[in-house]
Amino acid sequence: MFAIALSTFKEIHRKKIFHFISILTILYLILLGFILKKMGESINQVDGLVNAVLNLSSTISMIGFYFSSMLVGFLTVMLSIGIVSSELENGTILTILTKPIRRGEYIMGKYIGTALLVIIYSAFLYIAVIIISTLSKISIVETFGIAALFKGFLFFILQPLTLLAVCLYGSTICRTVINGIFVIGLYMLGLIGGLIEQAGAFTNNSTLSAIGIISSLISPFEVIYRKMTFTIFSTLGSLSNLTSFGMPGASTRPSVWMMVYVCVYLIFFVLLSINGFRKRDIG
Amino acid sequence: MVIETENLTKLYENNKGCRDININVGEGEIYGFLGPNGAGKSTFIKTIVGLLFPTSGTARVLGRPIGDIEAKKKIGYLPELFKYQEWMTGLDLLSFHSSLYKLDKKNASVKIEEVLEIVNLKGAERSKIGTYSKGMQQRIGIASALLCEPKLLFLDEPTSALDPIGRKEVRDIMVELKRRGTTVFLNSHLLSEVEMVCDSAAIISKGTIIKQGKMSELLEGDTVLDIHAENVNNEILNNLEKIDEDVTFDGKTIKMHVKENQEIHDVASLIIAGGGKLYGLTPHRNSLEELFIKLVEKGEE
């Protein structure tokens, strides 16, 4: 399993898409730094403290973590849509599965190798966003608790790891391109579902809320992001409901049980991948 | 027996594949598996090495059931259509496959040196596989299959992409492995190659084995006679048909098969007794190619 994980890790970090996303990440961080610096300067000129806090928390949440989260999601999808299917398509897998390893080990190795790289990338991005925010002298950053930041990071990586589990499963049952379309569609469903749920809460419309919740159960990626921002901004007290993208003041806080559901969702897809792959004809 | 199968069948949804395969491969022999494209050769190998699940029947490889992890430690496999990770160097690939065989680091580096020597890729191991020629890719594939010092090596069309020199190199590798006691299961449509190196062979057509046995037995009993004669009439041909119903006569030469040496004498007597003038009679053994074509055509009928 570790041989597969190590090989997967090495393979991914040599891929062109990884280099492309690395460049994109650096550009993104430069842009974020520039925006936050300008925001920090303008805050100092605003008299109303509450308005400043509102603007800042919203900015950090929306620009910093939201787009970082999307970037990590994008990287995960791009790196993992062909995680198994590409090896099936080019025949590489034929020489691997005839070696003395179990198919379950192969699948777990693929998952762990990719997960490791995604976690390292996520940690880099997460820390970079916090450092940039701090350097921009945004006072609210100082109110972040270390524990909240750490917990937030766990939710920050939970999203790509869940996405990876879905990609892995898709990759064991269909071709790379089809898997890509399927996973991106599912991810989009989560984002739209999140907005619908917020809209439902904003307008007190139970039907919209129900649709949003069902979408979130099918595609829980946006919920994980929301949980992350609620965790990081928990120190903001009553302002913590600003932490969602789209409709400030209308966001619902995901429950602990929802996070338990997400963990079960992740494990379910990994096990489904192992089980399905164990019975599959190769070649 | 290194490989034993009993009515092993693997059928796809379109009903193609291989069915009721019964073979026994002894230790240390080179076993040829012959058949036209789409006959089910690769399906059989993939089933035996555990990539495909059999529809019915059983098989034991190295005394263990298909897919057994312990057996896989001593099995090498070179697939027909495959691609290695192009971003790896030859050395990376061999290190990776050593770790899949769970060889320890020290043992792995010794084995890597050894297999590089066998496949004649010393000096090219630090180049990326993406830059290798087809022949080199095939040889690095064989090298990775040899890392575990296999007791059983499956080679699926190992020389189909190679030039004559490359083919000879692979044949030499097979002979050397046989000398070391390795059993080689060779899938090939290159009949001359099978004829040159194999001890036993099976011919498969439309998913079913139509003939198998020791190489000498397969070729024996089918002596071809090229007869140069004149005044050959229908009576002579009718009599010759009693010996070989597929006898042909093009106006100058009679071509027919006989099973025993005694029949050569009978043929000569029949021609002379029938009023024919016999100028020449050349017996030669059937080549594997002739046998193969004849059997496959018969199978298709």
Side-chain angles (χ1 to χ4, degrees):
Chain A
M1 183 169 76
F2 291 107
I4 299 285
L6 188 65
S7 154
T8 306
F9 183 89
K10 281 183 186 170
E11 182 175 3
I12 287 174
H13 109 265
R14 281 173 159 102
K15 276 187 175 173
K16 276 182 188 157
I17 185 75
F18 184 73
H19 298 152
F20 170 72
I21 292 174
S22 301
I23 293 167
L24 200 69
T25 305
I26 291 165
L27 292 176
Y28 161 72
L29 290 174
I30 291 169
L31 187 68
L32 183 72
F34 178 75
I35 291 169
L36 289 188
K37 189 170 181 291
K38 290 291 167 197
M39 291 295 289
E41 285 169 6
S42 65
I43 290 304
N44 294 332
Q45 296 161 10
V46 176
D47 292 333
L49 180 65
V50 175
N51 283 340
V53 170
L54 279 169
N55 284 335
L56 267 174
S57 59
S58 175
T59 302
I60 294 164
S61 160
M62 288 165 66
I63 297 175
F65 292 113
Y66 188 80
F67 286 109
S68 299
S69 166
M70 279 194 87
L71 206 55
V72 173
F74 177 65
L75 173 95
T76 307
V77 172
M78 285 297 126
L79 294 183
S80 61
I81 49 170
I83 188 170
V84 175
S85 55
S86 63
E87 294 203 335
L88 282 165
E89 285 158 18
N90 65 26
T92 311
I93 202 164
L94 299 177
T95 57
I96 296 173
L97 292 184
T98 44
K99 299 288 187 296
I101 60 159
R102 289 184 172 79
R103 291 191 181 191
E105 286 178 57
Y106 170 80
I107 292 291
M108 279 310 294
K110 283 280 165 192
Y111 184 83
I112 290 169
T114 313
L116 205 63
L117 197 128
V118 166
I119 290 169
I120 292 169
Y121 174 78
S122 302
F124 166 74
L125 203 56
Y126 189 81
I127 292 166
V129 170
I130 292 168
I131 290 172
I132 289 170
S133 302
T134 311
L135 291 178
S136 305
K137 294 190 170 47
I138 296 172
S139 57
I140 201 158
V141 171
E142 291 159 13
T143 67
F144 288 160
I146 295 292
L149 281 176
F150 181 73
K151 273 204 281 183
F153 177 67
L154 293 182
F155 291 121
F156 189 69
I157 59 168
L158 183 61
Q159 188 196 51
L161 294 184
T162 311
L163 203 50
L164 177 60
V166 177
C167 282
L168 178 73
Y169 175 63
S171 190
T172 60
I173 58 164
C174 55
R175 297 181 78 85
T176 306
V177 176
I178 296 169
N179 189 29
I181 295 167
F182 163 72
V183 174
I184 289 170
L186 191 71
Y187 187 75
M188 295 305 288
L189 174 75
L191 295 184
I192 295 164
L195 281 175
I196 291 173
E197 193 183 341
Q198 286 175 55
F202 187 62
T203 59
N204 283 327
N205 185 325
S206 59
T207 310
L208 282 182
S209 292
I211 292 171
I213 289 166
I214 292 167
S215 305
S216 298
L217 288 173
I218 299 169
S219 172
F221 311 113
E222 195 272 348
V223 177
I224 308 170
Y225 163 75
R226 233 187 303 152
K227 183 71 178 174
M228 177 198 76
T229 51
F230 269 110
T231 307
I232 296 171
F233 293 100
S234 60
T235 47
L236 295 181
S238 61
L239 294 170
S240 62
N241 60 357
L242 296 167
T243 53
S244 186
F245 185 70
M247 295 187 186
S251 183
T252 50
R253 179 191 288 263
S255 68
V256 173
W257 288 110
M258 187 62 196
M259 290 304 106
V260 172
Y261 169 78
V262 170
C263 292
V264 172
Y265 183 96
L266 185 159
I267 294 166
F268 173 75
F269 274 103
V270 172
L271 291 180
L272 205 61
S273 309
I274 293 172
N275 200 38
F277 195 67
R278 207 158 36 196
K279 295 172 187 163
R280 190 190 159 149
D281 277 337
I282 307 292
Chain B
M1 285 291 154
V2 174
I3 303 174
E4 292 171 277
T5 69
E6 198 178 319
N7 296 324
L8 191 70
T9 301
K10 173 63 193 177
L11 295 175
Y12 296 108
E13 281 175 6
N14 59 8
N15 221 25
K16 287 193 172 176
C18 60
R19 63 178 80 221
D20 295 327
I21 306 290
N22 292 293
I23 59 164
N24 290 302
V25 179
E27 198 173 341
E29 64 175 346
I30 303 182
Y31 192 95
F33 206 56
L34 296 167
N37 290 337
K41 302 186 300 288
S42 292
T43 301
F44 176 72
I45 280 202
K46 284 177 185 169
T47 309
I48 280 285
V49 297
L51 290 169
L52 299 174
F53 292 96
T55 311
S56 62
T58 57
R60 291 186 80 77
V61 182
L62 295 175
R64 288 171 179 270
I66 290 174
D68 182 86
I69 294 288
E70 283 307 307
K72 281 182 173 180
K73 285 181 182 169
K74 284 293 168 192
I75 291 176
Y77 170 54
L78 179 74
E80 181 188 7
L81 296 170
F82 71 100
K83 207 174 167 189
Y84 283 119
Q85 296 87 335
E86 292 190 344
W87 55 271
M88 283 187 178
T89 64
L91 202 57
D92 287 338
L93 181 85
L94 294 176
S95 301
F96 173 51
H97 282 258
S98 305
S99 58
L100 292 177
Y101 276 122
K102 299 179 172 59
L103 301 180
D104 61 63
K105 228 174 183 179
K106 195 179 165 192
N107 196 12
S109 57
V110 172
K111 282 310 300 175
I112 288 170
E113 287 296 309
E114 198 179 314
V115 295
L116 281 170
E117 201 80 60
I118 292 174
V119 299
N120 200 18
L121 273 179
K122 268 285 210 174
E125 71 270 30
R126 293 190 189 276
S127 305
K128 286 207 169 146
I129 292 172
T131 65
Y132 280 14
S133 68
K134 275 186 181 173
M136 288 167 84
Q137 291 200 13
Q138 202 75 345
R139 279 186 281 151
I140 198 76
I142 295 175
S144 71
L146 294 178
L147 284 165
C148 64
E149 278 186 62
K151 283 186 178 167
L152 173 59
L153 178 65
F154 289 96
L155 300 174
D156 196 353
E157 303 284 4
T159 58
S160 55
L162 304 183
D163 57 23
I165 295 169
R167 285 179 190 171
K168 187 182 178 308
E169 283 174 352
V170 173
R171 275 201 304 273
D172 291 345
I173 291 170
M174 282 190 271
V175 172
E176 171 61 17
L177 290 171
K178 177 181 153 65
R179 197 188 60 76
R180 294 181 182 200
T182 307
T183 307
V184 180
F185 190 96
L186 171 67
N187 242 9
S188 180
H189 65 264
L190 297 171
L191 304 164
S192 55
E193 183 177 277
V194 172
E195 201 170 350
M196 269 188 262
V197 296
C198 290
D199 303 299
S200 304
I203 297 175
I204 182 172
S205 175
K206 291 188 170 177
T208 313
I209 289 184
I210 48 178
K211 187 148 186 159
Q212 65 174 314
K214 292 277 172 201
M215 217 57 204
S216 51
E217 291 166 8
L218 285 176
L219 298 172
E220 193 178 74
D222 248 28
T223 304
V224 178
L225 294 182
D226 282 327
I227 306 161
H228 179 46
E230 285 180 3
N231 295 347
V232 176
N233 53 43
N234 283 342
E235 188 195 338
I236 294 172
L237 290 173
N238 287 340
N239 285 329
L240 293 179
E241 270 184 10
K242 288 174 190 166
I243 297 171
D244 176 18
E245 58 181 18
D246 295 327
V247 62
T248 59
F249 177 56
D250 62 5
K252 281 184 182 173
T253 311
I254 298 170
K255 201 166 192 149
M256 64 184 293
H257 297 81
V258 291
K259 288 191 169 60
E260 298 162 14
N261 283 343
Q262 174 60 37
E263 287 179 336
I264 299 173
H265 172 73
D266 295 344
V267 167
S269 302
L270 280 171
I271 293 169
I272 294 163
K277 290 180 179 176
L278 181 62
Y279 294 114
L281 190 153
T282 316
H284 58 87
R285 286 180 77 193
N286 204 351
S287 72
L288 187 59
E289 187 171 337
E290 285 166 319
L291 176 72
F292 176 78
I293 291 167
K294 189 179 157 192
L295 286 170
V296 170
E297 279 175 353
K298 221 177 223 176
E300 281 173 2
E301 279 166 22

